[in-house]
Amino acid sequence: MFTLKGNRLPAADVKNIIFFVRPRLELMDIIAENVLSEDRRGPTRDFHILFVPRRSLLCEQRLKDLGVLGSFIHREEYSLDLIPFDGDLLSMESEGAFKECYLEGDQTSLYHAAKGLMTLQALYGTIPQIFGKGECARQVANMMIRMKREFTGSQNSIFPVFDNLLLLDRNVDLLTPLATQLTYEGLIDEIYGIQNSYVKLPPEKFAPKKQGDGGKDLPTEAKKLQLNSAEELYAEIRDKNFNAVGSVLSKKAKIISAAFEERHNAKTVGEIKQFVSQLPHMQAARGSLANHTSIAELIKDVTTSEDFFDKLTVEQEFMSGIDTDKVNNYIEDCIAQKHSLIKVLRLVCLQSVCNSGLKQKVLDYYKREILQTYGYEHILTLHNLEKAGLLKPQTGGRNNYPTIRKTLRLWMDDVNEQNPTDISYVYSGYAPLSVRLAQLLSRPGWRSIEEVLRILPGPHFEERQPLPTGLQKKRQPGENRVTLIFFLGGVTFAEIAALRFLSQLEDGGTEYVIATTKLMNGTSWIEALMEKPF
Amino acid sequence: MGLRMNRTKGDEEEYWNSSKFKAFTFDDEDDELSQLKESKRAVNSLRDFVDDDDDDDLERVSWSGEPVGSISWSIKETAGNSGSSHEGREQLKSRNSFSSYAQLPKPTSTYSLSSFFRGRTRPGSFQSLSDALSDTPAKSYAPELGRPKGEYRDYSNDWSPSDTVRRLRKGKVCSLERFRSLQDKLQLLEEAVSMHDGNVITAVLIFLKRTLSKEILFRELEVRQVALRHLIHFLKEIGDQKLLLDLFRFLDRTEELALSHYREHLNIQDPDKRKEFLKTCIGLPFSAEDSAHIQDHYTLLERQIIIEANDRHLESAGQTEIFRKHPRKASILNMPLVTTLFYSCFYHYTEAEGTFSSPVNLKKTFKIPDKQYVLTALAARAKLRAWNDVDALFTTKNWLGYTKKRAPIGFHRVVEILHKNNAPVQTCRDLKDRQQLLAYRSKVDKGSAEEEKIDALLSSSQIRWKN
């Protein structure tokens, strides 16, 4: 399998070439280039194209315009809507979903979400209850109900795995992705960016230590690591607050050392044999520990820096409601020192969201500074941010955020990072609004927060899907419900960690499986909203 | 808001009786299905979403024992129908009972062989069906290669908008030409929108765009929000800027019109052309604030072009010291305002207000606030180690006024800049600012000469510290 690249296709002794792509116009240009650069002298090869998850009229039109449409023998679609990333995590990996749904009113990704959900139901049973909050959630639920009505071929008699489906619009909680995540996995994503469960890291710390080799070249290529729950140690530390990771790693180090020391105790052949058989597992564990120790060191370099501390202080001030109505000095300094534009945008948007919009004077001031420092063309991005509700003037002069914050207990002063008792540990004090809503839905139910729900954007609703009597779930006392929570517009690793925390609570009552249109963080989110030349 | 199904006895009866499962009859095709495993059935039900003519996995067998869709069966069918036998038609009808579509008799006209062997795999792009069926036909006993049930509809002229839209969703070839009247077209659009499928809506919109006048299209879409939004997104994607702007103008969405027009500048690489384009953006209906920014954007690029031409000339002439000592690393074109100011303070600091490249001129033209100006100038002069200029900046009235108002908040920035450029400690002493000197002390290396100097100054009794 080759990555799609411009110009000529890589040489290979094959008869058929299949392009396996998402339906994006830019990719069509590259494909056309590939097809047109085919060496006529060589043996003719057959071209096929497979769109994921759907064919696109516009893309095929583009191929036609470029004169290559006829070169394809098969033009198909591969209906991969939801991709499993882990045992409890599914994503559509649709980068454009948020912008399309909330800025452009294009609901195609919602349609795919609904299709993905229908597939899940076909495999795991009809979900008896659907809860939702937000316009898009409402649309998806409507589509699901309509699809079920239209395509009831055979009645689904699979015993349902899920008790509930919770559909949540991203714009119900615009705050959470803007804040810097503080879990181990969250920080890896914030600093290095996790792509499809892989992360690329600076290689220096991962060079194998060779004795007596002083001066040997350090690897120049980034170290690529796969991150998922198949790795025992990673599964243990990924969702912890970063400050709690160190102690886990040092405990692990002692355990592994002790295990290796056991070789001295192995006296009999049987004991030696047993030790040797354990060796691969121990070596893997040691390798894993080495990797994560290096990663933790890299992260620590960032989190102990003065700038990180200053930034975090400002974020936490905003989230706890302090000074959200005036121009912030740290933000001004960042602009003056020309820190990354996205960093600045995240902060001003955070302030705006925590203030239900900025006073016109403050907004104009920020905009001016940004345009003069980074370029006037960013008017377009600022406009997009306003449309998304992230950076806008305050209307009605009323700040709703304190009410929401207090009612839902979003800011928890006494947070325990080592042994957390509440989801607010993922941001060391701030409980993600989205997860809080899920938590309250489970217990005691949304009726208790009707007023707050009405302040948040979009309708909230409940639907039931009938099950044949034989299939109705009877929960044993103490048995957990299973809720599928679908974030329409993206989800962060910190939110995932918070949901996993809820899942493993003794008397939580609910276990969560998480689905989303995209795994993201504040940076990738804002980046997708920036206007670029087309 | 909820749709609760009350589980009364009556409801349950109704529920069971309305099930898709029909009682066993001799025409029952469900026979095969019920023998399949649970999961296979579940997976097969998925096919309904993907493509309903993928019947390969299900072998349906007619009552004569031939698998439905097999050639032998097809020939029987075709032959049967060509004789307009009622029985044949009935058989066909019942075989299509899976779907809820009204059953249509198979037409007696036949079709060319080539269209049969077109095969499922090249449904073609979304062109009209008429293209595919250009050949006419003699009556023939051509085999029907497992025609998907939906496709029977092709040959009738009675597609309803909802059926058309359903076929489009499955990527099937579909002619929209028959929707001639405005009302038909609008109904088609409505069906497409209710289906929420982007491709389908796009296909219909392309058709409408082609067959309706601009005015009518706009007028109709104005009251159809979803379709309208979709059209805008579509026009952006294919880059039909002209129609997009016409649309915004029609809708009186003036600000979007302005922004959409402005956005185009990103695609113009040539600086002069870009400048000319930006000129056309001035006076467009931006918000008041944005209008000022757009004007500034144009003016800035205009200036940059002049400065760039001039400086490039100076640099190549090789006579100007500043360019010889510090060759330019990049062009000033399209740089942000503050960067341009920095450049100007670096290379053209002493120039009089009259020239385009002088910092003072920039300050005046773009109304750069004092604070911003001083900090930028400071950074530039410090980088050049022009300490006299730095001193001069500190002694202006403006500066003192500034420190009174904003110190120590802004001043730490000064310290940062100075420290970054290793400014001499004297600067702080001159300002008699002990607090800042202390702050500065914390930044220098321990035991350094700098630290000693600072300590000496701090302990000096001669200096009357301000704080």
Side-chain angles (χ1 to χ4, degrees):
Chain A
M1 213 180 221
F2 296 94
T3 312
L4 189 68
K5 266 195 280 242
N7 295 314
R8 221 177 247 176
L9 290 165
D13 186 20
V14 290
K15 174 83 168 100
N16 292 292
I17 301 214
I18 305 174
F19 291 96
F20 195 26
V21 288
R22 292 236 182 226
R24 292 196 343 237
L25 286 173
E26 323 84 80
L27 298 179
M28 300 303 110
D29 294 340
I30 299 177
I31 291 176
E33 225 180 277
N34 283 170
V35 170
L36 292 170
S37 318
E38 266 297 91
D39 193 353
R40 307 259 169 235
R41 291 163 293 161
T44 43
R45 301 200 271 198
D46 291 338
F47 292 108
H48 318 272
I49 187 163
L50 206 55
F51 289 102
V52 180
R54 301 235 26 237
R55 289 169 63 182
S56 147
L57 177 61
L58 288 183
C59 285
E60 297 195 13
Q61 187 64 43
R62 171 81 84 168
L63 290 173
K64 191 174 186 185
D65 293 338
L66 294 167
V68 294
L69 186 66
S71 314
F72 293 96
I73 297 181
H74 287 78
R75 290 196 305 276
E76 302 284 350
E77 64 192 22
Y78 181 61
S79 210
L80 181 65
D81 287 304
L82 283 168
I83 305 167
F85 271 73
D86 217 312
D88 58 354
L89 183 59
L90 303 147
S91 171
M92 287 165 55
E93 288 303 281
S94 164
E95 287 109 350
F98 180 83
K99 190 172 185 195
E100 284 165 25
C101 294
Y102 298 100
L103 268 72
E104 291 163 358
D106 174 5
Q107 298 183 330
T108 309
S109 24
L110 298 182
Y111 172 74
H112 288 306
K115 271 185 66 187
L117 284 165
M118 297 309 282
T119 306
L120 273 183
Q121 288 187 107
L123 293 167
Y124 297 106
T126 304
I127 306 175
Q129 265 188 307
I130 302 176
F131 295 92
K133 172 72 181 153
E135 266 310 327
C136 297
R138 180 75 259 182
Q139 293 300 328
V140 172
N142 288 345
M143 287 183 208
M144 284 175 71
I145 292 170
R146 186 205 170 113
M147 284 175 185
K148 193 155 179 49
R149 208 171 35 224
E150 276 180 7
F151 294 105
T152 323
S154 49
Q155 195 57 254
N156 195 332
S157 40
I158 294 177
F159 203 76
V161 166
F162 297 107
D163 294 273
N164 299 315
L165 166 64
L166 170 56
L167 297 160
L168 269 185
D169 278 25
R170 183 73 261 174
N171 76 345
V172 168
D173 173 12
L174 291 172
L175 204 171
T176 304
L178 294 170
T180 303
Q181 301 168 72
L182 297 175
T183 58
Y184 181 60
E185 185 165 43
L187 276 165
I188 297 177
D189 190 31
E190 292 274 352
I191 302 170
Y192 295 106
I194 300 178
Q195 296 276 29
N196 302 317
S197 302
Y198 278 90
V199 66
K200 286 200 182 134
L201 298 158
E204 303 79 49
K205 285 212 190 241
F206 298 91
K209 292 190 182 71
K210 292 197 164 87
Q211 283 113 338
D213 238 348
K216 186 91 188 210
D217 306 298
L218 281 170
T220 47
E221 256 191 57
K223 172 89 177 166
K224 201 169 173 194
L225 280 180
Q226 187 173 35
L227 300 171
N228 62 40
S229 62
E231 194 183 344
E232 241 175 82
L233 176 60
Y234 188 65
E236 207 182 317
I237 57 177
R238 76 195 298 190
D239 298 320
K240 287 194 184 302
N241 185 296
F242 181 65
N243 287 334
V245 167
S247 57
V248 175
L249 291 178
S250 50
K251 269 195 214 118
K252 258 305 172 281
K254 291 199 183 89
I255 294 174
I256 293 179
S257 282
F260 273 98
E261 287 304 302
E262 279 295 298
R263 70 180 184 279
H264 299 302
N265 297 340
K267 299 274 182 347
T268 70
V269 170
E271 282 172 357
I272 293 175
K273 210 172 166 191
Q274 189 180 42
F275 179 81
V276 167
S277 70
Q278 306 264 31
L279 216 46
H281 180 255
M282 286 159 55
Q283 280 167 338
R286 184 170 57 182
S288 174
L289 177 68
N291 280 337
H292 288 291
T293 306
S294 299
I295 297 177
E297 277 171 12
L298 286 170
I299 295 180
K300 208 162 172 72
D301 285 339
V302 174
T303 58
T304 48
S305 72
E306 201 176 319
D307 186 67
F308 186 85
F309 178 78
D310 289 338
K311 181 178 74 165
L312 202 60
T313 306
V314 167
E315 285 182 13
Q316 298 200 332
E317 276 172 6
F318 288 160
M319 292 191 286
S320 50
I322 299 171
D323 281 346
T324 55
D325 55 350
K326 25 177 122 66
V327 171
N328 179 278
N329 293 315
Y330 175 72
I331 295 179
E332 263 198 297
D333 284 354
C334 287
I335 299 175
Q337 289 165 37
K338 216 172 170 185
H339 287 194
S340 115
L341 175 58
I342 293 188
K343 172 183 176 175
V344 168
L345 290 176
R346 274 177 82 167
L347 286 166
V348 296
C349 289
L350 183 61
Q351 185 176 353
S352 173
V353 172
C354 291
N355 201 54
S356 299
L358 295 173
K359 286 212 275 277
Q360 194 65 52
K361 267 181 78 182
V362 174
L363 181 59
D364 286 340
Y365 184 82
Y366 278 143
K367 279 169 96 163
R368 190 149 195 270
E369 297 264 286
I370 288 171
L371 294 174
Q372 288 186 341
T373 309
Y374 297 97
Y376 293 107
E377 62 270 21
H378 295 290
I379 285 181
L380 299 163
T381 301
L382 294 176
H383 194 254
N384 284 347
L385 293 176
E386 179 167 350
K387 228 175 165 187
L390 286 163
L391 180 61
K392 58 176 196 184
Q394 201 178 60
T395 46
R398 199 194 137 71
N399 181 5
N400 284 321
Y401 177 65
T403 311
I404 299 170
R405 188 185 73 239
K406 286 178 203 141
T407 317
L408 300 178
R409 293 173 23 109
L410 297 183
W411 184 259
M412 309 285 277
D413 276 311
D414 53 347
V415 68
N416 188 330
E417 287 168 347
Q418 304 292 334
N419 298 301
T421 51
D422 178 74
I423 55 172
S424 51
Y425 85 88
V426 298
Y427 287 98
S428 290
Y430 164 73
L433 168 58
S434 55
V435 181
R436 194 56 109 204
L437 289 177
Q439 186 179 17
L440 291 169
L441 176 65
S442 171
R443 279 195 196 142
W446 274 356
R447 247 180 264 267
S448 58
I449 50 166
E450 279 281 340
E451 254 185 63
V452 167
L453 280 178
R454 260 181 259 128
I455 301 177
L456 296 169
H460 62 278
F461 60 89
E462 181 183 335
E463 295 283 351
R464 276 178 205 258
Q465 301 199 103
L467 293 173
T469 2
L471 294 180
Q472 268 155 33
K473 262 197 140 142
K474 285 178 184 62
R475 290 253 162 248
Q476 304 301 335
E479 201 189 329
N480 285 338
R481 279 174 305 202
V482 180
T483 296
L484 173 64
I485 174 168
F486 204 129
F487 289 84
L488 299 165
V491 75
T492 58
F493 287 109
E495 285 165 304
I496 294 170
L499 287 165
R500 286 182 179 146
F501 172 81
L502 291 176
S503 296
Q504 52 80 56
L505 281 179
E506 269 294 316
D507 51 352
T510 306
E511 275 173 45
Y512 294 94
V513 172
I514 303 138
T516 182
T517 50
K518 182 83 181 83
L519 293 168
M520 50 91 125
N521 59 46
T523 299
S524 63
W525 193 33
I526 302 271
E527 184 144 32
L529 294 173
M530 292 185 81
E531 212 53 69
K532 308 213 169 82
F534 35 76
Chain B
M1 199 166 113
L3 198 74
R4 258 156 262 241
M5 298 287 251
N6 292 313
R7 294 243 175 261
T8 63
K9 191 89 182 4
D11 284 351
E12 276 188 14
E13 290 296 308
E14 198 198 300
Y15 172 82
W16 285 110
N17 289 339
S18 64
S19 154
K20 282 283 180 176
F21 280 85
K22 299 197 180 349
F24 178 79
T25 69
F26 279 95
D27 281 343
D28 199 346
E29 298 146 305
D30 287 348
D31 242 14
E32 291 298 314
L33 266 191
S34 59
Q35 283 161 31
L36 294 174
K37 281 209 263 202
E38 216 40 70
S39 51
K40 185 146 199 231
R41 186 203 314 221
V43 171
N44 281 336
S45 76
L46 294 182
R47 300 222 182 260
D48 288 335
F49 312 141
V50 176
D51 196 331
D52 71 354
D53 60 6
D54 197 2
D55 291 334
D56 307 328
D57 284 0
L58 303 175
E59 246 229 336
R60 286 191 245 134
V61 177
S62 77
W63 287 103
S64 53
E66 268 113 9
V68 167
S70 75
I71 293 181
S72 47
W73 174 79
S74 300
I75 291 180
K76 279 211 174 94
E77 289 302 309
T78 318
N81 278 337
S82 68
S84 304
S85 97
H86 178 73
E87 189 197 62
R89 238 178 274 138
E90 279 304 300
Q91 277 186 312
L92 214 58
K93 254 197 204 167
S94 62
R95 256 160 208 96
N96 283 321
S97 62
F98 263 150
S99 73
S100 53
Y101 302 160
Q103 290 311 297
L104 293 179
K106 182 169 161 301
T108 49
S109 69
T110 55
Y111 21 77
S112 80
L113 212 55
S114 53
S115 63
F116 287 118
F117 291 96
R118 230 188 326 123
R120 192 175 71 72
T121 52
R122 250 202 335 142
S125 58
F126 294 75
Q127 37 174 257
S128 75
L129 188 62
S130 45
D131 292 354
L133 297 179
S134 47
D135 316 307
T136 37
K139 220 176 224 202
S140 70
Y141 288 64
E144 288 234 303
L145 296 175
R147 288 239 77 139
K149 49 188 177 291
E151 213 135 305
Y152 286 114
R153 322 291 312 304
D154 287 2
Y155 312 105
S156 100
N157 275 327
D158 283 340
W159 304 326
S160 70
S162 64
D163 292 333
T164 308
V165 152
R166 256 182 267 260
R167 289 178 48 76
L168 280 176
R169 186 192 350 177
K170 292 177 178 155
K172 290 202 184 15
V173 171
C174 210
S175 164
L176 302 178
E177 304 300 327
R178 49 177 300 275
F179 293 96
R180 294 203 195 289
S181 75
L182 178 62
Q183 191 178 36
D184 283 346
K185 289 175 180 162
L186 292 177
Q187 209 187 348
L188 183 65
L189 180 63
E190 238 128 78
E191 284 291 330
V193 165
S194 65
M195 188 142 276
H196 297 291
D197 184 331
N199 270 338
V200 176
I201 301 176
T202 301
V204 173
L205 284 173
I206 289 177
F207 169 63
L208 293 186
K209 178 171 170 270
R210 187 161 49 88
T211 60
L212 287 176
S213 77
K214 202 169 63 179
E215 291 72 32
I216 296 179
L217 177 66
F218 289 176
R219 189 193 71 209
E220 292 300 334
L221 286 188
E222 188 176 12
V223 295
R224 294 175 168 85
Q225 282 307 309
V226 176
L228 177 64
R229 274 180 262 151
H230 206 96
L231 178 65
I232 292 171
H233 180 53
F234 161 65
L235 291 175
K236 275 189 195 159
E237 237 181 272
I238 60 164
D240 191 340
Q241 191 64 2
K242 186 174 179 311
L243 195 61
L244 185 63
L245 293 180
D246 285 344
L247 179 57
F248 283 143
R249 216 169 281 122
F250 175 85
L251 295 169
D252 209 24
R253 278 161 55 159
T254 49
E255 203 181 354
E256 268 184 272
L257 169 66
L259 286 164
S260 201
H261 180 75
Y262 174 68
R263 187 171 172 238
E264 280 284 301
H265 87 270
L266 291 170
N267 290 335
I268 305 173
Q269 301 310 325
D270 177 74
D272 284 293
K273 292 207 177 89
R274 190 184 275 205
K275 181 193 77 167
E276 286 311 310
F277 180 83
L278 286 175
K279 200 169 188 184
T280 67
C281 297
I282 299 172
L284 287 181
F286 292 102
S287 69
E289 281 291 321
D290 285 345
S291 289
H293 293 308
I294 301 289
Q295 171 75 61
D296 282 351
H297 190 176
Y298 165 74
T299 313
L300 181 62
L301 182 55
E302 189 188 46
R303 295 288 163 96
Q304 286 171 339
I305 291 174
I306 297 170
I307 297 172
E308 177 66 23
N310 192 47
D311 286 3
R312 194 177 295 168
H313 176 76
L314 286 176
E315 207 171 16
S316 54
Q319 303 289 357
T320 325
E321 190 184 337
I322 184 75
F323 289 112
R324 280 210 321 267
K325 263 193 172 166
H326 303 273
R328 303 183 320 146
K329 291 205 191 83
S331 140
I332 194 58
L333 294 172
N334 297 311
M335 290 291 123
L337 177 62
V338 171
T339 312
T340 311
L341 179 62
F342 179 91
Y343 174 95
S344 160
C345 290
F346 195 91
Y347 288 108
H348 299 278
Y349 195 55
T350 51
E351 277 170 38
E353 196 180 312
T355 66
F356 281 137
S357 43
S358 83
V360 190
N361 192 310
L362 281 175
K363 180 181 197 295
K364 246 192 156 176
T365 310
F366 296 99
K367 299 192 189 53
I368 300 175
D370 288 343
K371 185 180 75 170
Q372 178 71 278
Y373 180 82
V374 167
L375 283 172
T376 311
L378 182 69
R381 300 329 283 171
K383 189 157 182 152
L384 283 167
R385 313 186 77 72
W387 304 122
N388 292 325
D389 292 331
V390 169
D391 273 347
L393 276 169
F394 284 166
T395 55
T396 61
K397 283 205 195 74
N398 286 337
W399 178 252
L400 288 175
Y402 159 63
T403 50
K404 259 203 210 119
K405 252 195 297 173
R406 301 286 311 233
I409 297 159
F411 201 89
H412 69 277
R413 278 201 235 161
V414 175
V415 174
E416 288 277 350
I417 295 172
L418 293 178
H419 176 68
K420 224 165 71 162
N421 293 287
N422 300 309
V425 157
Q426 297 296 98
T427 313
C428 287
R429 189 215 69 158
D430 289 340
L431 286 166
K432 301 188 178 41
D433 194 333
R434 188 161 62 105
Q435 293 289 63
Q436 294 315 316
L437 200 56
L438 279 168
Y440 191 46
R441 181 179 184 280
S442 65
K443 288 194 194 289
V444 301
D445 300 323
K446 286 236 167 307
S448 64
E450 304 268 32
E451 203 187 26
E452 268 184 52
K453 247 203 222 162
I454 295 175
D455 286 337
L457 281 172
L458 285 172
S459 49
S460 157
S461 53
Q462 288 186 315
I463 304 174
R464 291 188 38 211
W465 298 103
K466 199 166 80 200
N467 54 14

